[in-house]
Amino acid sequence: MVAQTRTANATQKKFSFNEKLVGKNLGTDALLKKLKALHTELAELDQETVDMNSLSSVRTQLIHTSLLLHKERGVKAYVACCLADLLRLYAPDAPYTVTELRDIFQFFFRQLSAGLKSTESTYYNEYFHLLESLSVVKSVVLVCDLPNAEELMIEVFRDFFALVRRDLAKKIELFIADILIALIDECQSLPSEVLEVIMAQFMDKNARMDQPAYRLAVQICNTTADKLQRHVCQYFTDIIITNSRDLQSESDFEEIRTAHELVKQLARSCPSLLHSVIPQLEEELRVEEVQVRLIVTQTLGEMFGDKGGSDLIRKYPSTWSVWLMRKGDKAAPVRLKLVESARGLVLNLPEHRETIEGILRLKLLDPDDKVRAAVCKVYSQIDYETALHHVSTSQLRAVAGRGMDKKHIVRVEALNALGKLYALAYPEIENGDPSAIEHFSWIPNQVFHIANVTLESKPVTEQVIADHIFPFPSLPNVASTSTSKSIEVDEVAWTDRLLNVMQYLDDTAINAVLSMSGVKVNRPTAYEHFLQTCIQNNGGVIDENEEDVKRKLGNIIRHLSKHFPDPHKATDDLQAFAKANENRLYKLLKTCMDLQSDLKSIVKASNEFLRRVEQSHESILSTMTIFLRRCTLRILNQSSISPLLKRLQKSPTSSIASPTIKHVHQLLTFVSKHSPALYKAHIGELTKAIADEKNTVLVELGMQALAAVVRTDESLSSLDKRTVDRVMKYALGENPRLAKFASRLLASLKGCHEQCKNIVESVAQRLPDAEPEMLVAHTALLVQMAHFQSEAFEHRSDDIMAFLVKKLLLSPSQDDDEDMDAENDWVNDDDIPPILRARIQALKVCRNRCIAHASSPNAIDIAMPALKMFTTLIQHSGSFKVDARDSPSTKSRMRLQAAVALLHLSTVEAYATVINPHFVWLAVTVQDPCYHVRMIFLTKLISLLSSRKLPPRFNTIPFLTVLDPEDDIRNRATAYVSLVNRTLPPAARVEYLEMIFIRLLHLLAHHPDFSIAHENLQDMAKYVEFYLDQITSSENISLLYHLAMKAKTVRDAESHTYSEHLYAMSELAQELIKARAQARSWALQSFPGKVKLPSDIFRSLPNPEAAVKILKTVYLPQETVEWLAETVKPHKTAATTAAKEKRREARERSPQGAKRKASRPRANGAAKRAKPSARWNSDQSETAESSSDLEDHSEGGSPLSETERHTSPKTLKSGPSDEGQDSDKEVASTHENTSKAGRAGRKARTRAKAKISQQIRKGAVRSKKSQPHP
């Protein structure tokens, strides 16, 4: 198009430039001078005042080819500026044809691309003028009217986006944006290539607003959003449709995934462009293709979770709702993607907190473990402020619940999330922030509870505790700290953290802390044995006792590896560590294990050990990290003692009312009891502590610690005379705690025998006239003297024991009426009346005196009165007389102390024999009406059983807790049995857990509540079921069944009535075992070994006729027999159904046309049962045994022969076809009401009865001559 020349008027100014710009003899310098003058004049002209006709000459010359294609850059720069000025003056029309305009704009853009590369360019100002003119005048819109406008626009956008990537001035970037925006606004149709150029700027995942090209694209999109919306939607749709036609492999989804990444980028910077795209994403959420749903779920999740997510939800509520529905998607990966997006939702959508928490809480129970783990991981990725203000405590507790998940990955993520949040919150908790305390202080308590629940959770909880709850202080520049002595660690802050955490722990969690501390272990530990054996092994080069060293190393590694998450890997890694034989690693481990190492030494050694292992043996790093963590005193060590003592010294009171002081007391007492060697470096501090008479708590703990450390190291057992005098003063004082530990300290010191003798003499004289408070203190002293200084005690033992028994224990109780409240069956330690406290101490004196004389020849004579007294107390519910008027709380305390005393005395073999006849009364203490009696008794019992100090029969007592109304008692008993069953070696497991089954039946038969009534037998069945739940396996079920049957071949040692009870329990146990075997498809074979029944509770039957009669008699009531039959039926039906289902699946998997062999039919229509692959010869089993296979043996020995004691035999499965098994089960089902023994194990029982009858007949012939008929 050509502009029409305007008509000049009198007011317009004519253009004065009349030079020739095109000519043959015109030099470059002259041309430049002319063009510069022309540009200057044109730039000054105003469109309203210039005479357009006067511009015609210049207008024609400027588009001459010789100027547009001139080789001099300056000429082209000025020509471009002059042409831009002309377009400004002629605007809105152009004085050129479309062809000329095309050439002009192409010329413009070429000049700009080349001339704006750098501000150092010679003609930079001219190019800047050109760009500014195009931006301000908007003459560039003329491009949209040209025939090849699309091509030119594409070229312009590509060149400008390429240009803007360089470091240009901010104004140039704005001018370019104005030009490109003007082109988009004026164009009739936007070329797809232009949109691709713009969209390409968003493809880079790392694109940021500080990148000029990205910033330019964002500005263009936001300014022209109304026009670009349709094009962007079409662009997105084309990509989806094009790439959705043939989706076969993962690569086919790449373009779709890229398109959705683009949508996410646009949502962050240009959300207004997506007005038509978001509804399309909503439809994609409903498609059948899982991968597409996966991609769009992730895309929308990240969009909603971004900072602009709230606006997006407000504009597209339908899309938000449909996206939330993906929480129930049938595909687990889709649900996983939704959960993984939740971090952004939690951070940026506080107004939708309830909705988000509801979904995440629901997904914590998702059937897919990856989804559950992802939910937990969300909370490990949020910051403290978000967790505090936007995550509810109930939600965090729900996450904590996943710490006991069955899947390892879920447990790890849940516990790590809790640990990280607690580590972030700890500074605020330490400062006493109420919100932080309420929100996060419970986390350690929960973690320690989880550590106690399952063995699978323990390694994870240990890691979380070490990393987040009780972390080691960090050392700067770890690489150089191994030789640096200038670096210090804050031992006080480290110890204070332990006390701060303990403030919010319950008793169970505190016990877990103490257990994990490594203080309460037998030393040398298994880890120290391993290290010493590694040194002896010397990498396999052994000078002496090579076989012994290798065997010892293998045994220790097997023992240690059982407690690792992956025992096989742990075994290989520990073997590799021993083979590496690096002395520096051994030295570092010794430092970590040494009780005298301080915190700084342990931290430095630990860091260096892990660094060296990672550098040279990276494959074993995980195992050795766990090893190091478990063998090191990470929670409580030698460096803790001084800060703890200083805490006590600064305490304003002399009591333990403060929680912190209570925990300090608890920690120091724990160290004194289990690892007093930690005090060796603090003897001076302890001696100084007991001089502070005003602080009784400090004095008490100081003497307790000194007494403990002196007993471990005789070189420390000497104190100055002044200190000894002070200790004697405390011993004779009226404070029972001080008297207790002062007397213990005196009894432990060298050369203090005379002082002890004098103290006992003094106390013996004071006892008759002592006031109740002083009586408590004196009896506390006597408890220690009876234990640690028996010679000094025996000097006045007759007088002392006479007073304690006659005047104190046997004297009528003087309980207040308030104490006689029948419902008040317990009194707390702090509230025990002085007289009752003295009576309890008197019982301890009796117990300790017995223990002190355990190895003397007249031990039984000395102990017999005390043993009778203890058994009387438990038989009379805590009183010495049946009609005593003691209060319920007094009785509870007395019978508890008597029962605990009997437990301690049962650790002495001589006393255990005397106590055994009263074992039933002792055992039922675990079913005492008072909860505290049951719990304390069970705790003490488990403590003694765990160290194997008690005979095996005491392992029957935990099984009596099954009917306890309190969960914690049942759980504690179950946890003990489970741990012992899992960790005992096979031989010990037989002795301590399996052979006691016959004793459990005997105990139940003697139970005070036992009767033959059906209701009672149902309760008895629960005890047996509890035992079977914990102990039974396919390997030992034959032994247990054999023991149950053998109970009917003997009689009870006490009476005929108890014998009938025993036979009823025998029949009950047999039926329950058979039902269990059938329910689990275990083959119940005859036990091939010989079992010796305990002679202390059983006697032989008088004659064969009695044995036959007992075998033929059914002692269970008919109602119970029917009840047991009904109990077995569901097991039978379930087993039959499972077998049929398995055969059906096998047929479906079998090749077409394959045939199965039919079982040979029997006369009764049932398939014949196949014979076992191996069978024990029943004729060789019990023919050599008498009718009551009793032989005397000590309980400490094995009840099996030496060749049999390694384990009970494994059952041998029979090998019939599935059809034969099914037929036999159906036949058994039809006859189960007519035959009491018509279930699994019928043949085994029939064979056993036949053998017993056979031996009885043989014995009858012999007995006719030798024995009179009864």
Side-chain angles (χ1 to χ4, degrees):
M1 76 187 162
V2 181
Q4 298 179 357
T5 305
R6 298 177 182 178
T7 304
N9 55 51
T11 61
Q12 291 180 329
K13 178 181 177 180
K14 288 192 175 183
F15 184 57
S16 61
F17 185 85
N18 56 7
E19 300 285 342
K20 292 289 186 181
L21 298 177
V22 179
K24 291 183 180 181
N25 298 322
L26 191 61
T28 301
D29 292 341
L31 180 59
L32 277 172
K33 186 176 180 181
K34 291 179 181 182
L35 288 172
K36 189 173 183 180
L38 174 60
H39 168 54
T40 302
E41 185 173 353
L42 287 173
E44 295 175 353
L45 291 177
D46 185 35
Q47 187 182 37
E48 301 298 329
T49 60
V50 67
D51 181 3
M52 294 299 180
N53 292 327
S54 61
L55 299 174
S56 58
S57 174
V58 175
R59 180 189 71 197
T60 305
Q61 292 185 73
L62 283 174
I63 62 171
H64 195 275
T65 307
S66 62
L67 294 179
L68 296 178
L69 300 177
H70 201 281
K71 63 183 180 180
E72 175 59 35
R73 291 181 58 197
V75 171
K76 292 187 283 188
Y78 280 110
V79 169
C81 289
C82 293
L83 285 171
D85 288 334
L86 283 177
L87 293 176
R88 174 178 62 82
L89 293 173
Y90 278 94
D93 300 317
Y96 299 107
T97 64
V98 292
T99 304
E100 292 170 341
L101 283 173
R102 181 196 64 195
D103 295 339
I104 289 170
F105 280 109
Q106 287 178 340
F107 174 68
F108 282 169
F109 298 136
R110 282 198 301 272
Q111 300 312 303
L112 290 173
S113 298
L116 289 175
K117 290 181 179 179
S118 173
T119 56
E120 305 298 326
S121 299
T122 307
Y123 300 101
Y124 180 81
N125 290 334
E126 283 67 33
Y127 294 126
F128 184 88
H129 176 80
L130 171 61
L131 186 66
E132 182 180 22
S133 177
L134 292 175
S135 171
V136 175
V137 179
K138 299 292 190 294
S139 56
V140 72
V141 301
L142 295 171
V143 170
C144 298
D145 296 330
L146 301 179
N148 61 337
E150 290 190 1
E151 296 178 7
L152 197 54
M153 281 184 67
I154 294 169
E155 184 178 350
V156 170
F157 273 82
R158 285 175 179 168
D159 290 346
F160 275 179
F161 272 103
L163 175 66
V164 82
R165 290 183 184 277
R166 300 181 182 89
D167 188 17
L168 299 179
K170 185 68 176 177
K171 281 189 176 182
I172 293 179
E173 186 179 323
L174 294 175
F175 292 155
I176 291 176
D178 288 342
I179 292 170
L180 298 182
I181 290 170
L183 286 173
I184 292 175
D185 284 340
E186 294 298 324
C187 70
Q188 297 297 321
S189 63
L190 187 70
S192 59
E193 290 84 352
V194 169
L195 189 61
E196 289 176 1
V197 171
I198 297 173
M199 295 295 104
Q201 313 311 314
F202 297 95
M203 293 295 190
D204 186 1
K205 293 183 179 180
N206 300 318
R208 302 182 305 275
M209 287 302 291
D210 59 348
Q211 296 174 344
Y214 179 75
R215 191 165 57 239
L216 175 62
V218 170
Q219 185 177 354
I220 293 171
C221 290
N222 284 328
T223 307
T224 61
D226 291 342
K227 188 160 187 176
L228 288 181
Q229 280 179 5
R230 178 174 57 84
H231 297 285
V232 170
C233 182
Q234 187 62 45
Y235 173 81
F236 183 74
T237 303
D238 290 344
I239 293 177
I240 298 298
I241 292 176
T242 302
N243 293 279
S244 298
R245 290 169 182 165
D246 187 21
L247 298 174
Q248 298 294 335
S249 63
E250 181 65 25
S251 59
D252 297 331
F253 293 93
E254 282 305 314
E255 287 297 326
I256 298 177
R257 190 172 284 108
T258 302
H260 286 79
E261 288 291 332
L262 172 61
V263 173
K264 283 191 294 187
Q265 291 287 353
L266 291 175
R268 292 190 185 101
S269 51
C270 315
S272 54
L273 278 182
L274 303 177
H275 182 71
S276 302
V277 175
I278 301 298
Q280 188 170 343
L281 294 179
E282 179 181 330
E283 291 304 316
E284 285 185 336
L285 289 170
R286 299 185 174 98
V287 300
E288 285 295 323
E289 180 58 52
V290 174
Q291 280 294 337
V292 174
R293 291 204 312 277
L294 199 66
I295 294 169
V296 73
T297 300
Q298 179 181 1
T299 300
L300 282 172
E302 294 181 16
M303 289 165 62
F304 288 135
D306 214 336
K307 291 183 179 180
S310 296
D311 294 333
L312 200 64
I313 293 173
R314 196 160 40 250
K315 291 178 182 177
Y316 308 100
S318 173
T319 305
W320 168 247
S321 299
V322 175
W323 182 79
L324 290 178
M325 290 172 62
R326 290 305 95 208
K327 68 180 183 292
D329 197 287
K330 60 184 179 181
V334 177
R335 303 195 302 273
L336 178 62
K337 287 299 179 185
L338 181 139
V339 168
E340 288 175 344
S341 308
R343 176 179 177 271
L345 306 181
V346 175
L347 291 173
N348 300 314
L349 298 177
E351 65 272 23
H352 296 279
R353 166 180 154 177
E354 292 185 3
T355 301
I356 297 165
E357 281 199 355
I359 290 175
L360 292 180
R361 188 170 300 185
L362 179 66
K363 292 297 98 185
L364 281 172
L365 305 176
D366 193 274
D368 190 272
D369 57 298
K370 294 184 179 64
V371 176
R372 301 196 300 275
V375 177
C376 299
K377 190 173 183 179
V378 167
Y379 293 98
S380 70
Q381 298 170 336
I382 59 178
D383 59 272
Y384 167 73
E385 292 295 332
T386 301
L388 179 64
H389 298 295
H390 303 308
V391 180
S392 66
T393 306
S394 61
Q395 188 75 353
L396 292 180
R397 288 187 181 275
V399 174
R402 291 297 93 206
M404 293 182 285
D405 198 280
K406 292 183 178 179
K407 295 294 184 178
H408 175 73
I409 183 176
V410 184
R411 296 195 298 270
V412 169
E413 294 296 346
L415 292 169
N416 277 334
L418 292 177
K420 289 178 180 178
L421 288 175
Y422 183 79
L424 294 173
Y426 177 75
E428 301 302 322
I429 296 174
E430 186 180 27
N431 293 333
D433 183 352
S435 300
I437 291 172
E438 179 185 0
H439 221 66
F440 303 104
S441 64
W442 56 271
I443 289 177
N445 192 71
Q446 188 69 22
V447 172
F448 283 112
H449 275 270
I450 293 172
N452 274 346
V453 172
T454 60
L455 185 66
E456 294 77 12
S457 300
K458 194 160 188 177
V460 185
T461 54
E462 287 176 349
Q463 184 70 50
V464 170
I465 291 165
D467 292 346
H468 304 298
I469 297 178
F470 296 130
F472 269 159
S474 58
L475 293 178
N477 191 18
V478 175
S480 63
T481 58
S482 59
T483 57
S484 174
K485 297 183 179 180
S486 60
I487 297 174
E488 297 296 332
V489 296
D490 193 342
E491 296 176 346
V492 175
W494 178 72
T495 306
D496 284 349
R497 180 159 185 152
L498 171 60
L499 295 174
N500 288 331
V501 171
M502 289 179 70
Q503 284 189 58
Y504 308 101
L505 301 182
D506 59 21
D507 291 342
T508 302
I510 289 177
N511 289 334
V513 171
L514 298 177
S515 175
M516 285 188 180
S517 67
V519 172
K520 186 182 178 181
V521 291
N522 295 323
R523 298 189 182 277
T525 66
Y527 304 101
E528 291 171 321
H529 281 300
F530 171 75
L531 179 59
Q532 185 59 37
T533 310
C534 285
I535 295 172
Q536 296 173 357
N537 185 61
N538 194 28
V541 182
I542 306 170
D543 297 331
E544 297 178 357
N545 302 322
E546 180 175 355
E547 292 300 323
D548 291 342
V549 171
K550 288 184 176 180
R551 184 176 64 254
K552 183 179 178 183
L553 180 62
N555 291 337
I556 294 174
I557 288 176
R558 278 193 298 273
H559 172 73
L560 290 175
S561 61
K562 287 191 297 185
H563 304 284
F564 280 73
D566 186 347
H568 296 294
K569 184 179 187 303
T571 300
D572 295 340
D573 291 349
L574 293 175
Q575 290 282 9
F577 178 82
K579 187 176 181 180
N581 196 36
E582 294 190 21
N583 290 327
R584 180 59 183 169
L585 294 181
Y586 293 162
K587 185 176 180 181
L588 293 171
L589 269 184
K590 277 187 177 179
T591 301
C592 293
M593 295 178 187
D594 189 359
L595 292 178
Q596 303 310 313
S597 295
D598 59 9
L599 178 63
K600 177 182 174 182
S601 301
I602 292 174
V603 173
K604 288 166 58 178
S606 298
N607 290 342
E608 184 181 350
F609 178 84
L610 294 176
R611 188 177 67 252
R612 285 178 175 270
V613 171
E614 184 177 15
Q615 291 171 352
S616 56
H617 314 284
E618 188 175 2
S619 62
I620 69 172
L621 179 61
S622 60
T623 298
M624 297 314 298
T625 300
I626 298 175
F627 182 96
L628 179 67
R629 188 168 63 237
R630 291 178 175 176
C631 74
T632 306
L633 297 181
R634 299 182 57 93
I635 298 175
L636 187 64
N637 57 37
Q638 188 250 102
S639 295
S640 309
I641 305 302
S642 289
L644 292 175
L645 290 174
K646 288 177 182 176
R647 276 287 188 131
L648 287 177
Q649 291 168 356
K650 295 177 182 178
S651 173
T653 65
S654 60
S655 67
I656 56 174
S658 163
T660 301
I661 299 303
K662 177 183 176 182
H663 293 138
V664 171
H665 187 281
Q666 196 168 9
L667 291 172
L668 292 176
T669 301
F670 188 73
V671 172
S672 298
K673 286 182 178 180
H674 304 293
S675 192
L678 293 176
Y679 288 124
K680 282 187 178 181
H682 305 279
I683 297 295
E685 292 178 78
L686 295 173
T687 305
K688 183 180 177 181
I690 64 176
D692 188 358
E693 297 183 7
K694 294 182 179 179
N695 195 332
T696 56
V697 176
L698 181 61
V699 173
E700 172 196 327
L701 290 171
M703 290 193 296
Q704 182 183 15
L706 280 173
V709 71
V710 162
R711 294 185 68 81
T712 61
D713 190 344
E714 292 185 357
S715 63
L716 304 173
S717 60
S718 60
L719 297 176
D720 60 272
K721 185 178 183 302
R722 186 177 178 183
T723 302
V724 172
D725 292 341
R726 184 179 290 113
V727 173
M728 290 186 66
K729 177 184 175 182
Y730 291 138
L732 293 173
E734 64 178 7
N735 188 314
R737 300 285 297 176
L738 296 186
K740 171 183 177 180
F741 294 115
S743 56
R744 182 184 296 179
L745 176 56
L746 284 174
S748 304
L749 291 174
K750 273 186 177 180
C752 288
H753 178 72
E754 284 301 320
Q755 287 91 332
C756 294
K757 190 174 179 181
N758 293 337
I759 287 177
V760 172
E761 179 72 31
S762 177
V763 169
Q765 294 175 2
R766 296 183 184 185
L767 281 177
D769 302 322
E771 294 294 326
E773 293 290 347
M774 185 60 76
L775 189 59
V776 175
H778 287 343
T779 52
L781 178 147
L782 293 174
V783 170
Q784 303 303 313
M785 289 299 170
H787 191 189
F788 298 108
Q789 277 285 353
S790 59
E791 291 183 12
F793 181 85
E794 290 302 323
H795 178 65
R796 292 296 300 272
S797 62
D798 292 341
D799 297 335
I800 293 172
M801 294 307 298
F803 174 82
L804 294 180
V805 175
K806 296 178 180 179
K807 301 295 184 182
L808 184 58
L809 291 173
L810 297 180
S811 64
S813 176
Q814 299 177 356
D815 294 317
D816 297 334
D817 293 337
E818 182 180 348
D819 295 333
M820 295 298 291
D821 183 4
E823 295 182 1
N824 187 19
D825 64 352
W826 185 254
V827 56
N828 293 325
D829 292 347
D830 297 335
D831 301 325
I832 298 177
I835 290 296
L836 176 57
R837 193 183 299 273
R839 296 177 72 187
I840 293 173
Q841 298 283 14
L843 293 177
K844 291 182 179 179
V845 172
C846 299
R847 179 196 70 190
N848 286 354
R849 184 168 181 250
C850 295
I851 292 175
H853 290 84
S855 58
S856 66
N858 57 342
I860 297 296
D861 296 334
I862 294 174
M864 189 58 70
L867 294 174
K868 289 181 179 179
M869 183 169 57
F870 294 144
T871 54
T872 300
L873 282 172
I874 61 173
Q875 289 173 2
H876 294 168
S877 301
S879 299
F880 290 101
K881 298 179 180 178
V882 177
D883 57 350
R885 299 187 67 254
D886 297 333
S887 69
S889 58
T890 298
K891 290 182 177 180
S892 295
R893 280 287 183 175
M894 293 294 287
R895 66 177 177 269
L896 170 63
Q897 190 57 50
V900 171
L902 288 174
L903 285 180
H904 281 285
L905 295 176
S906 295
T907 61
V908 180
E909 184 177 353
Y911 299 153
T913 304
V914 179
I915 296 171
N916 192 37
H918 310 285
F919 178 74
V920 174
W921 284 105
L922 179 60
V924 296
T925 305
V926 82
Q927 296 180 325
D928 193 273
C930 177
Y931 163 80
H932 297 89
V933 173
R934 300 197 304 274
M935 177 55 80
I936 296 172
F937 177 80
L938 179 64
T939 303
K940 179 57 67 175
L941 172 71
I942 289 175
S943 175
L944 294 173
L945 284 174
S946 299
S947 55
R948 295 205 211 172
K949 293 181 179 179
L950 289 170
R953 64 173 174 271
F954 282 82
N955 277 298
T956 59
I957 300 178
F959 296 105
L960 298 183
T961 62
V962 65
L963 299 180
D964 198 283
E966 301 296 335
D967 290 340
D968 53 351
I969 292 180
R970 293 196 305 273
N971 293 341
R972 180 166 295 191
T974 303
Y976 162 73
V977 174
S978 176
L979 177 65
V980 173
N981 190 36
R982 187 172 58 247
T983 57
L984 278 180
R989 191 182 306 119
V990 172
E991 180 181 357
Y992 281 84
L993 292 179
E994 295 173 6
M995 290 302 299
I996 64 166
F997 184 51
I998 189 72
R999 287 190 175 272
L1000 177 62
L1001 298 180
H1002 175 269
L1003 175 59
L1004 295 175
H1006 283 253
H1007 196 284
D1009 296 336
F1010 184 91
S1011 72
I1012 300 295
H1014 172 64
E1015 294 76 10
N1016 178 269
L1017 289 172
Q1018 285 181 312
D1019 288 339
M1020 294 296 117
K1022 292 178 182 178
Y1023 294 115
V1024 178
E1025 287 281 10
F1026 181 45
Y1027 174 88
L1028 297 177
D1029 288 339
Q1030 303 301 320
I1031 305 301
T1032 310
S1033 66
S1034 58
E1035 287 78 17
N1036 66 15
I1037 193 168
S1038 294
L1039 170 61
L1040 300 182
Y1041 185 73
H1042 182 71
L1043 289 171
M1045 287 199 306
K1046 295 287 284 184
K1048 290 193 72 173
T1049 66
V1050 293
R1051 61 185 176 88
D1052 191 271
E1054 291 190 28
S1055 70
H1056 176 70
T1057 301
Y1058 286 129
S1059 295
E1060 292 188 349
H1061 293 178
L1062 178 66
Y1063 303 151
M1065 287 305 307
S1066 170
E1067 294 174 0
L1068 182 65
Q1070 290 178 58
E1071 297 303 323
L1072 292 174
I1073 292 172
K1074 288 190 290 185
R1076 183 170 297 265
Q1078 187 159 343
R1080 289 161 174 74
S1081 300
W1082 291 342
L1084 191 60
Q1085 301 294 334
S1086 295
F1087 181 69
K1090 295 181 180 180
V1091 175
K1092 301 173 184 177
L1093 300 185
S1095 58
D1096 57 328
I1097 56 176
F1098 297 129
R1099 296 289 184 270
S1100 301
L1101 291 174
N1103 50 61
E1105 289 78 5
V1108 173
K1109 182 179 179 181
I1110 291 170
L1111 285 174
K1112 291 182 178 181
T1113 304
V1114 176
Y1115 291 88
L1116 289 177
Q1118 183 61 30
E1119 186 179 2
T1120 304
V1121 173
E1122 294 173 357
W1123 172 72
L1124 287 169
E1126 292 298 321
T1127 303
V1128 176
K1129 277 185 179 180
H1131 298 314
K1132 189 182 291 288
T1133 304
T1136 303
T1137 305
K1140 288 183 177 179
E1141 183 67 20
K1142 186 182 294 185
R1143 291 198 305 277
R1144 185 185 62 80
E1145 292 177 358
R1147 286 197 300 271
E1148 291 176 354
R1149 292 193 300 266
S1150 62
Q1152 186 67 27
K1155 295 183 178 180
R1156 296 177 291 115
K1157 287 187 176 181
S1159 300
R1160 180 178 298 176
R1162 299 181 67 186
N1164 60 3
K1168 183 178 180 180
R1169 185 188 300 272
K1171 293 183 180 180
S1173 55
R1175 176 174 297 202
W1176 161 65
N1177 186 352
S1178 61
D1179 292 334
Q1180 299 175 3
S1181 63
E1182 299 173 0
T1183 54
E1185 298 178 19
S1186 65
S1187 59
S1188 58
D1189 310 301
L1190 292 169
E1191 292 186 24
D1192 291 337
H1193 64 276
S1194 64
E1195 212 170 354
S1198 172
L1200 301 182
S1201 64
E1202 191 63 33
T1203 58
E1204 298 161 350
R1205 65 176 294 151
H1206 65 283
T1207 184
S1208 56
K1210 294 185 178 180
T1211 55
L1212 301 174
K1213 294 248 182 184
S1214 56
S1217 64
D1218 288 335
E1219 295 85 341
Q1221 287 182 342
D1222 187 52
S1223 299
D1224 277 340
K1225 288 175 182 175
E1226 291 175 353
V1227 171
S1229 179
T1230 60
H1231 292 285
E1232 109 184 17
N1233 290 329
T1234 59
S1235 174
K1236 185 170 73 72
R1239 289 175 288 279
R1242 181 196 296 116
K1243 289 190 175 182
R1245 187 176 184 186
T1246 303
R1247 287 196 301 271
K1249 285 186 175 181
K1251 288 178 289 182
I1252 294 172
S1253 300
Q1254 183 181 13
Q1255 68 165 27
I1256 291 171
R1257 286 195 299 271
K1258 291 180 180 178
V1261 175
R1262 295 192 298 269
S1263 64
K1264 286 180 180 180
K1265 299 180 180 180
S1266 60
Q1267 297 180 359
H1269 196 277

